[in-house]
Structure formats: structure tokens, C-alpha cells
Amino acid sequence: MVIRNAYLITEDYYAAEDVCQETFIRLNARLDLVPDENVRAWLLRTSKRLALDYRRNEKRRREHLEYIDADEGQEKWPVSGCFDLSELLAEKEEIRKKRETLLLLKEQRFLWYETLLLSHVEKMRNAEIGQKIGVTASLVSKWKERAGSWLRDRLEKDYLDEDEE
């Protein structure tokens, strides 16, 4: 009953199975709250909502996969799944280098690192950061500027060293 209900909305058997499984997981979590006489209606209503959510999200996923790069006129991530993994590996390597550089900043200039973290991750203003750390807002601003320069210089050096190899 639940799979059929989900399939009518998703039009995908495997998605309907996933919706059915999630529905019963949620029922198990709320078993004491749902009266016995309402279980059938609860299952149908919950599976319908989950299936509708799946459809909305599926549409977004499909749009993302079919994204066409306007500059090149080619699919950026072909729907067929056949694409060059070298780009993905290069991107992963770049992320690794940036992470290592951030960790190096943390080791060498912890307050600069902390300032960047509070500013960009926590979205705190300089005055709030200064108050938390115990320094002036102008010093926080200077640390952010110096940390940015340090990171740029370090990454440029890493990329130059890589080009020489």
C-alpha cells in the first residue's frame, strides 16, 4: 500500500521503495504517538509527503546534472556519467593543498586562523571577534588582512614549486 502510494507520485519504483522504508522508519520512531486506528492513514499521509519531497528534490538534482556551461556549450557533468576523472582528482588535490595551508596557518599564527574562522564561518563582525579574543576591532581587521596575504603568498609559493617540478 505504501509503495504503491509513493510510486503513484514518484513514478520510480526504487524511489518508492526508499520512500516506503523511510516511512516505516519514521513510524517506528513515533509508534507510541500514533493510535492503532490511525496507523493506515498516517502511513499514507507520511508516504505522500515524503514522495512529494522526493519529486521536488529530484527535479533539482536533474537540473543540476543537466547544467550546461554557457561558455563552452558542453555539459559540465554529463547525465550519462561518462566524464574525465582527472578534473575531479585535480580539484580534490587542490582542496587538499588548501586544507594543508590552513592547518599550517593554524600552527604558525593561531590568532590569525581563529580570526578568519570567527569571521567567515561564524559570520562575526570585527568588534565581536575583538571582544571575544580581547583585542581591538582594528587589530582584528589587521590580522584578517595579514592572514589573507599569508594564505595567498603560501598558496602561490606551493603552486610555483609544483610548476617547477
Side-chain angles (χ1 to χ4, degrees), residues 23-53:
T23 302
F24 279 99
I25 288 171
R26 289 185 182 194
L27 175 65
N28 186 44
R30 293 168 180 81
L31 206 50
D32 356 344
L33 304 174
V34 180
D36 292 343
E37 61 272 4
N38 295 345
V39 169
R40 180 182 170 93
W42 189 94
L43 286 170
L44 290 172
R45 187 174 56 250
T46 304
S47 64
K48 177 183 175 186
R49 288 179 182 157
L50 289 171
L52 288 171
D53 285 346

Side-chain angles (χ1 to χ4, degrees), residues 54-70:
Y54 177 85
R55 285 283 298 242
R56 270 192 299 276
N57 292 336
E58 178 62 24
K59 184 178 178 184
R60 285 189 208 118
R61 279 192 296 270
R62 198 174 312 117
E63 288 171 359
H64 182 68
L65 287 174
E66 294 171 352
Y67 169 73
I68 295 179
D69 192 352

Side-chain angles (χ1 to χ4, degrees), residues 15-27:
E17 280 185 331
D18 290 344
V19 167
C20 179
Q21 183 177 11
E22 180 63 25
T23 302
F24 279 99
I25 288 171
R26 289 185 182 194
L27 175 65

Side-chain angles (χ1 to χ4, degrees), residues 115 126 129-130 133 135-145:
T115 301
N126 291 351
I129 296 170
I133 296 176
V135 296
T136 64
S138 61
L139 185 57
V140 169
S141 177
K142 207 54 151 162
W143 284 351
K144 285 170 44 178
E145 182 182 316

Side-chain angles (χ1 to χ4, degrees), residues 93 97 157-165:
E93 179 64 20
K97 284 180 186 177
K157 181 182 176 280
D158 288 348
Y159 285 114
L160 288 175
D161 289 347
E162 181 181 288
D163 289 342
E164 290 175 3
E165 292 175 2

Side-chain angles (χ1 to χ4, degrees), residues 118-131:
L118 292 171
S119 176
H120 295 287
V121 176
E122 299 293 327
K123 305 290 187 209
M124 291 174 71
R125 292 176 292 153
N126 291 351
E128 295 171 316
I129 296 170
Q131 191 175 26

